[in-house]
Amino acid sequence: MKNLLLLTLLFFITKTLAQSQKKLILINDTTEEVVPFANILFSKVDYKGTSSDIDGAFYVPKTVESITISYVGFETKTLRISDISSQIIRLKPKASALDEVVIDGENPAHRIIRKVVANKTLNNPENLNSFTYESYDKIIITLGKPKEGTKAKSDTIREKIDSIMKGSHFFITETLAKHKYLKPRFSEDSVIATRSSGFKNPRFAMLANSFQPFSFYNEHIELFETNYLNPISKGSTRKYKFRLKQEYIQGTDTVFVISFEPKANRNFEGLKGLLTINSNKYAVQSVDATTFNSGKLDVTIQQKYKHVDDKHWFPEQLNFEINVGEGFGSVSYIGKSYLSKIKPNASLNKKDFPFVSVTLPENAGLKDETFWKLNRRDTLNTNEKRTYVFIDSISEKIKLDKMFDLLPSLMKGRYPLKYVDIDITKFFIANKYEGYRPGLGLYTNDDIFKNVSIGGYAGYGLKDDAWKYGGELLIDVPGKKEISFSLKYMNDLKEVGTLSDNRFNEVLSFRDFLASQMDGIESYSITTDMKLFRNLNWTLGFKTTDVTPLYEYMFLNNGNPVTNYTNSELNIGIGYHAKEQLVNSFGVIGRMPSDAPILNFLYSRGLGGTLDGDFSYNKFRFTLDHSFITKGLGKTTYRLDLGYLDKSLPYGLMFTGEGAFERDLRFVVRNYFQTVTPYEFLSDKYAHLFTTHNFGRLFNNKGYLQPDIILHNNFGIGSLSNPEHHQLIGFSTKEELFLETGLELQNLIKLPLFDLGYMGIGVGGFYRYGFHNLDKFDNNFAFKYSMGFSFK
């Protein structure tokens, strides 16, 4: 009875609210697009009113007799409510200049922008100690907007696609989630429900606000690894053209609408659009920004803020639109995020947050239509409803759910079959010693054992005419600690100077092709990886290896010549990722890219006498990777690399291989010396610093010639005790500081790629100088190429 009364009361309240307000939607009379952030005035006496939201919608109380609608770029419109017969109100566009207006020697927009900048720390929601909120997210993938010059051709093709798609989009997904944040870096997105076209029970969730910054207050807005200067950053008035376009009263506050775009004589990655600033704390009330001169990738950000608890400005709606490509091949990725139940400074502590920031329960994809009708922000339009029906019908025919089940394995480098996975990383390996090495790897999957995999691989080097093979037992321990065990046998190769017997399983680098000094190894190892603490990963392992140098070499050990040897070793590794954010992507735990510091430490203890081990020693390796932006100057990336070995050991266990110069393979390789041959130096103690500074498109931000200017500076020093112990092989040492500088022009030549972007070819010149300068100038200089992809 109580439940019935409660439902009746809720129904009555909902009906009463609906009858007391009238919902209207503003659209552009020319483009049919919605008009967000327009000012709607109810009364000219007390200045009461509202503004349209990101969807162009607003509500008018029944007691209001007339409204006045105004917005930048549109004709002001006054309407009597009794004369409005449709929910849709059309606004006619009008031309609007973007020139600066100067009054009494100063642009009035500059005064407002400076106040916004001065209050950024106060208004930035991410400076709150904590907060929680819920969000409804909707993402649509559909045909993109054609650019000028492609319209006639694309219209015909679009008509054909529309006739097939019957007005539906390519994809739609909806997600309902709870979010919480605790300063400085703890966050969790807990998915309540998710629904995606084509999938009966999607085991993934896509959040609309993950593709844009949560707030518009950072000095740079990072979009697809490009950092755009924020128009409300310090000193932005020197680089952006601002104009006060509109000023009106809203209740007791004044609202300023300011246009912005990069100045013509300034060369930087910028945005253009409109800012709405509220005089209450001079906070951003809304922003509509688009990337400026961004090539084949256009990104639009729309954000609307509201004053929560009469204290804090907080995002209320977050939209984005990504248009990739141009013409009939263009695709639009549209996301809408609606925030509710916002609680600033909620009571939270770090124990409330799991290691993985995005959590997805098993039944999240099984909510019925009744649930979604009650919880989605708005009803689906006709095209969105058609998308579910049309894509679901196609999915049934092509078994899309089963195809999507391949993703977790593919992300691990495997192709799943019944009972076994094919290790696709073993298909093809290439280096200077083996030439090309075709191979095959097979591992059992969950069809046989859950969380246990048994497998092996084999490959044949076409240049050295030799087989390599190995086997492995993998055990994953379910739980939050991400604990795994590996028992492995290998009869393979190991490049001298490397710390891992598994080099070819790492991310492919041009440096892999240069490997020529190899040790033949037969190795047994046991390793465990775990995550005991937040931001920290631990590795503990033991291995014993029989080593056969595959180059002319002899090591003098206490005066006795040694060629082949056995090495038994205990390894302890610690990895620290500052500001680490882990996500569960399609069943695979991954780490979000970050410029924050990454520290790796590895300690190896040689166990002489254990399983016939020949050497006792202590070896240390430490690396620090970090990137940061210097406003107006670009992005600096560096790696500090330190190594220490307390004993003289055979060549393959020493530190070498830091060079990447090879006349036949002239490619720039990050974090290596570009003018040093692969094994030129040998050390038992060293310190290296590799730095790059990307100035961006420093000289030209328009046209076809738009190279990124990158300055390289690399430094190294080291020492070698008892160099006489290493016989029959040539090497140098770095007791004096090694210096190397280079200039690289990335994307100097750009080749169109499928109408989506460009394959860039760059060039670089590097020069070694100082103590290690060689006699001939040509030997000190290295000319290299680089390759990459860009949308611009």
Side-chain angles (χ1 to χ4, degrees), residues 505-710:
N505 286 337
E506 299 173 1
V507 177
L508 183 65
S509 164
F510 282 121
R511 178 59 181 75
D512 296 332
F513 298 119
L514 305 183
S516 61
Q517 297 273 63
M518 298 289 192
D519 285 329
I521 61 168
E522 186 175 19
S523 172
Y524 299 87
S525 65
I526 181 170
T527 306
T528 179
D529 293 291
M530 66 197 81
K531 191 175 190 64
L532 294 180
F533 305 104
R534 192 181 302 275
N535 303 98
L536 280 175
N537 292 79
W538 298 71
T539 300
L540 178 66
F542 169 80
K543 65 181 176 182
T544 181
T545 308
D546 292 330
V547 182
T548 303
L550 301 177
Y551 42 89
E552 191 174 1
Y553 174 72
M554 182 174 64
F555 176 66
L556 295 181
N557 185 26
N558 296 323
N560 299 315
V562 174
T563 301
N564 301 343
Y565 57 92
T566 299
N567 185 49
S568 297
E569 191 175 70
L570 177 69
N571 295 298
I572 300 173
I574 301 173
Y576 175 78
H577 292 253
K579 300 182 181 179
E580 178 183 59
Q581 186 178 13
L582 300 176
V583 296
N584 188 335
S585 300
F586 312 112
V588 177
I589 304 298
R591 185 176 289 110
M592 294 291 288
S594 173
D595 289 337
I598 300 173
L599 291 81
N600 283 290
F601 173 78
L602 179 65
Y603 168 69
S604 300
R605 171 64 181 174
L607 303 175
T610 302
L611 298 179
D612 299 323
D614 292 318
F615 307 102
S616 297
Y617 57 87
N618 295 290
K619 181 188 286 188
F620 301 88
R621 172 89 183 274
F622 171 84
T623 62
L624 167 62
D625 293 274
H626 184 210
S627 297
F628 60 89
I629 295 172
T630 304
K631 186 177 175 181
L633 294 178
K635 183 175 183 178
T636 300
T637 301
Y638 69 87
R639 165 174 283 190
L640 176 65
D641 188 350
L642 308 174
Y644 174 83
L645 183 58
D646 67 350
K647 295 288 180 64
S648 181
L649 297 176
Y651 183 74
L653 299 176
M654 304 293 282
F655 298 120
T656 186
E658 64 265 41
F661 176 68
E662 172 61 55
R663 296 189 183 278
D664 296 334
L665 291 168
R666 294 176 175 267
F667 288 101
V668 177
V669 185
R670 301 287 180 261
N671 300 322
Y672 284 87
F673 293 112
Q674 309 300 319
T675 60
V676 173
T677 55
Y679 314 104
E680 182 175 339
F681 294 108
L682 186 66
S683 308
D684 54 22
K685 305 172 187 66
Y686 73 87
H688 298 157
L689 179 63
F690 303 98
T691 73
T692 62
H693 183 81
N694 191 334
F695 290 96
R697 294 174 175 89
L698 191 61
F699 302 118
N700 181 22
N701 206 22
K702 297 180 180 179
Y704 292 99
L705 191 64
Q706 304 173 33
D708 284 350
I709 313 298
I710 300 178

Side-chain angles (χ1 to χ4, degrees), residues 180 368 403 465 519 638:
K180 56 187 179 184
D368 59 19
M403 293 173 62
D465 295 322
D519 285 329
Y638 69 87

Side-chain angles (χ1 to χ4, degrees), residues 145-323:
K145 299 175 181 177
K147 293 191 176 182
E148 293 183 8
T150 61
K151 194 173 188 302
K153 180 180 179 182
S154 62
D155 277 352
T156 303
I157 297 176
R158 282 164 186 269
E159 288 174 3
K160 292 180 180 179
I161 294 175
D162 281 336
S163 66
I164 297 173
M165 301 290 291
K166 300 177 182 178
S168 73
H169 305 297
F170 297 139
F171 177 77
I172 182 174
T173 182
E174 299 173 273
T175 303
L176 188 70
K178 293 181 179 180
H179 309 261
K180 56 187 179 184
Y181 168 83
L182 178 65
K183 197 175 181 179
R185 62 181 180 275
F186 302 105
S187 65
E188 181 189 6
D189 303 314
S190 177
V191 175
I192 301 170
T194 186
R195 180 188 184 191
S196 296
S197 58
F199 300 94
K200 294 180 180 178
N201 181 19
R203 283 171 282 181
F204 62 91
M206 301 170 69
L207 300 174
N209 61 8
S210 62
F211 285 86
Q212 64 168 305
F214 179 72
S215 71
F216 202 73
Y217 284 98
N218 295 328
E219 287 291 292
H220 290 84
I221 306 299
E222 183 176 353
L223 302 169
F224 292 89
E225 299 185 1
T226 298
N227 292 284
Y228 295 88
L229 183 66
N230 195 329
I232 57 170
S233 61
K234 188 176 180 180
S236 61
T237 54
R238 295 192 297 270
K239 293 195 171 185
Y240 276 98
K241 180 191 294 185
F242 293 99
R243 185 182 180 187
L244 180 59
K245 307 291 288 186
Q246 191 175 2
E247 180 178 342
Y248 56 87
I249 303 298
Q250 193 174 77
T252 59
D253 302 321
T254 303
V255 177
F256 309 96
V257 181
I258 298 174
S259 65
F260 62 91
E261 69 172 18
K263 289 184 176 180
N265 61 342
R266 296 290 183 172
N267 188 45
F268 65 98
E269 300 293 353
L271 304 168
K272 63 179 179 180
L274 292 171
L275 278 166
T276 303
I277 307 300
N278 194 296
S279 63
N280 185 346
K281 300 180 182 179
Y282 279 85
V284 174
Q285 182 171 299
S286 67
V287 60
D288 190 344
T290 302
T291 52
F292 183 80
N293 189 30
S294 54
K296 294 184 183 293
L297 176 71
D298 291 325
V299 182
T300 296
I301 295 174
Q302 294 177 322
Q303 298 186 347
K304 184 181 180 183
Y305 295 73
K306 72 175 181 178
H307 207 211
V308 182
D309 298 335
D310 293 326
K311 293 181 180 179
H312 309 285
W313 287 93
F314 203 89
E316 180 182 20
Q317 290 177 268
L318 300 169
N319 285 10
F320 74 89
E321 182 172 341
I322 305 168
N323 282 288

Side-chain angles (χ1 to χ4, degrees), residues 478-489:
K480 298 179 180 180
K481 298 297 184 181
E482 300 178 42
I483 301 174
S484 64
F485 294 91
S486 169
L487 185 64
K488 184 184 298 184
Y489 167 78

Side-chain angles (χ1 to χ4, degrees), residues 1-14:
M1 187 66 179
K2 285 183 179 180
N3 291 336
L4 180 60
L5 288 172
L6 179 60
L7 287 172
T8 303
L9 179 62
L10 288 173
F11 178 79
F12 175 77
I13 292 172
T14 302

